[in-house]
Amino acid sequence: MINIAVLGYGTVGSGVVEVIENNRAEINKKAGEELNVRYILDLRDFPGDPYEHKVVHDVNIILEDPEVNIICETMGGISPAYEFSKKALLAGKSVCTSNKELVASHGPELLRLARENRCNYLFEASVGGGIPIIRPLNYSLTAEKIDAITGILNGTTNYILSKMAAEGADFAEVLKEAQDKGYAERNPEADVEGHDACRKIAILSSLMTGKNVRYEDIYTEGITRLTPADFAYAGAMGRSIKLLALSRNGEDGCYAMVAPFMIPVSHPLYSVNDVFNAVFVHGNMLGDSMYYGRGAGKLPTASAVVSDVVDCARHMGRTVMCFWDAEDVKLVSADKIRHRFFVRTRAELEQQAAEIFGAVDTVSAGIAGEYAFVTEKMTEKDFREKAERLDTVLSRIRMED
């Protein structure tokens, strides 16, 4: 029997217990051992819960029990999740987590501790919820040189953008609806300002390069400035607006970015709507592959955590290799990244725009008093310098083809 402890009995933690109990026969068969939830750590009591007898309030009960083999860290945040995870690994207990903030901040260190103590630190659920993406990058695509990852990595923002596109609604209106439905937090900043997607693309970029990509170094922009007019122009061009997390690894170095992009109907991510996520990966031999599904939610995320538990059970006493060194990657400056840009300005500035930007493609969406255009491909720095010379920029959105 392999004993498991769950740290945090919130949405994901309770889902982990539910998945293990409901799919017990299948999971035990695939793990090759009987899995047993021995402890649940939480500050609260859960009277009437079928597993209330497993709840403990002191983490040391778990850490000092030699019969606990695997810990599921579903607490979220850095502290005390970091301290608990570190102590568990030092005690030779494998840790499976859904905590993207912790993985993005301390992944290399925790992976090193797992190697040194012949156990595992696995984090499939930290990116994309129930979508398998960490394991494919670590195992299935090991013959590939991955050079590009493009993802819709946040279900909240994708839901908001999908509704704005379909209904022509304002951002604030759709955000409130998302909050009422439980898709967005009361404080939605981490989602709508792009911070959540930034941490996730940092993790994926680290696995792509084999070195550490600091999320603090990634240029990040959210969706709060988008308006119904932007979506009207996107529709006129046969495009949709998505919050994309991009990572590229080429001859000139590695860069990463999170920002809204206009993408054409031919793009694989064009039809990814509502709360769904998708990750589009390019390898030098395989070419393109895409991974799609529910990027959040109780049971999809819990399912990914339990898949790691099964992996740990199969590798007791052995470490599953993960190529993510502590050496930091020096990212190419965002100023050097090249894109075409969609720009909205006042109608009377058409001639000024032509003088500043040169050859552009004009876009019409029947909006009075405005002139809109798409620039040629240029660096972020060049665009910023030109845009500063234009008297008014109502909006600008990058283009991805």
Side-chain angles (χ1 to χ4, degrees):
M1 177 182 290
I2 294 178
N3 288 306
I4 300 162
V6 177
L7 309 188
Y9 200 47
T11 300
V12 178
S14 61
V16 167
V17 176
E18 184 176 341
V19 169
I20 290 174
E21 295 299 329
N22 287 354
N23 289 355
R24 176 173 294 280
E26 276 297 307
I27 290 169
N28 289 346
K29 178 181 177 181
K30 291 171 182 175
E33 292 272 1
E34 181 181 351
L35 303 185
N36 173 57
V37 177
R38 185 159 184 152
Y39 300 110
I40 297 168
L41 178 74
D42 206 285
L43 294 174
R44 302 163 293 176
D45 291 308
F46 297 88
D49 188 278
Y51 309 107
E52 63 175 317
H53 60 288
K54 297 177 183 284
V55 175
V56 298
H57 306 304
D58 182 358
V59 71
N60 290 314
I61 294 173
I62 296 168
L63 296 174
E64 294 171 6
D65 187 337
E67 295 186 1
V68 172
N69 311 105
I70 302 170
I71 288 177
C72 300
E73 186 275 296
T74 57
M75 305 173 71
I78 298 294
S79 184
Y82 167 68
E83 291 82 6
F84 292 174
S85 297
K86 188 173 180 178
K87 288 178 181 178
L89 294 169
L90 287 169
K93 302 178 191 297
S94 292
V95 176
C96 307
T97 185
S98 58
N99 190 340
K100 69 262 183 183
E101 187 176 359
L102 179 57
V103 176
S105 299
H106 295 284
E109 178 191 2
L110 297 173
L111 285 165
R112 176 181 58 79
L113 290 175
R115 288 194 301 270
E116 291 174 354
N117 292 278
R118 298 176 63 84
C119 55
N120 284 289
Y121 185 67
L122 302 183
F123 44 92
E124 181 64 69
S126 67
V127 178
I131 303 172
I133 183 59
I134 304 297
R135 196 168 277 107
L137 289 176
N138 261 343
Y139 308 158
S140 308
L141 300 177
T142 50
E144 292 291 314
K145 179 180 179 183
I146 305 299
D147 51 34
I149 298 175
T150 307
I152 294 173
L153 299 178
N154 184 274
T156 299
T157 51
N158 205 44
Y159 172 83
I160 292 171
L161 297 179
S162 298
K163 292 285 284 186
M164 290 180 72
E167 300 175 5
D170 288 323
F171 169 78
E173 176 186 338
V174 180
L175 172 60
K176 184 179 185 306
E177 182 181 333
Q179 290 171 323
D180 291 342
K181 289 186 174 182
Y183 294 152
E185 302 288 344
R186 289 297 104 187
N187 179 1
E189 181 180 351
D191 294 323
V192 301
E193 295 294 353
H195 304 315
D196 177 78
C198 174
R199 290 186 174 95
K200 292 172 179 175
I201 197 62
I203 294 169
L204 297 181
S205 300
S206 297
L207 296 177
M208 178 177 75
T209 62
K211 297 180 180 179
N212 190 48
V213 175
R214 288 166 30 94
Y215 70 86
E216 300 95 333
D217 296 338
I218 296 175
Y219 176 87
T220 302
E221 190 178 303
I223 65 170
T224 56
R225 297 179 183 176
L226 296 174
T227 68
D230 294 320
F231 287 89
Y233 284 107
M237 290 186 283
R239 290 175 175 260
S240 63
I241 302 176
K242 302 293 185 184
L243 182 69
L244 297 186
L246 307 176
S247 185
R248 302 287 184 267
N249 193 20
E251 293 181 359
D252 297 330
C254 179
Y255 77 80
M257 169 181 281
V258 175
F261 282 82
M262 285 188 177
I263 61 175
V265 67
S266 59
H267 196 289
L269 299 178
Y270 177 90
S271 298
V272 178
N273 293 314
D274 204 68
V275 295
F276 284 85
N277 285 193
V279 185
F280 187 55
V281 178
H282 185 269
N284 67 331
M285 296 290 121
L286 172 67
D288 296 329
S289 59
M290 191 164 108
Y291 308 83
Y292 169 85
R294 290 191 176 275
K298 176 179 180 176
L299 294 179
T301 305
S303 176
V305 174
V306 176
S307 74
D308 280 345
V309 170
V310 171
D311 218 3
C312 288
R314 289 172 171 173
H315 295 87
M316 295 297 293
R318 292 181 292 134
T319 301
V320 176
M321 290 306 298
C322 178
F323 299 97
W324 181 353
D325 293 339
E327 180 185 350
D328 289 338
V329 171
K330 183 171 176 55
L331 294 177
V332 173
S333 168
D335 282 350
K336 298 180 180 179
I337 301 174
R338 294 171 58 83
H339 293 291
R340 292 189 300 144
F341 292 83
F342 164 78
V343 183
R344 289 168 47 214
T345 187
R346 300 198 314 270
E348 63 268 24
L349 297 179
E350 179 177 353
Q351 182 58 39
Q352 186 187 58
E355 292 170 357
I356 294 171
F357 286 95
V360 297
D361 294 325
T362 300
V363 182
S364 176
I367 297 178
E370 289 194 10
Y371 172 65
F373 60 93
V374 176
T375 72
E376 294 183 328
K377 204 168 190 178
M378 63 182 67
T379 66
E380 294 273 336
K381 181 181 179 182
D382 285 345
F383 173 80
R384 187 172 62 249
E385 291 174 349
K386 291 177 185 293
E388 287 172 355
R389 293 164 53 197
L390 187 61
D391 287 350
T392 301
V393 175
L394 299 173
S395 176
R396 68 97 177 87
I397 303 173
R398 297 166 183 85
M399 309 286 281
E400 175 77 358
D401 297 315

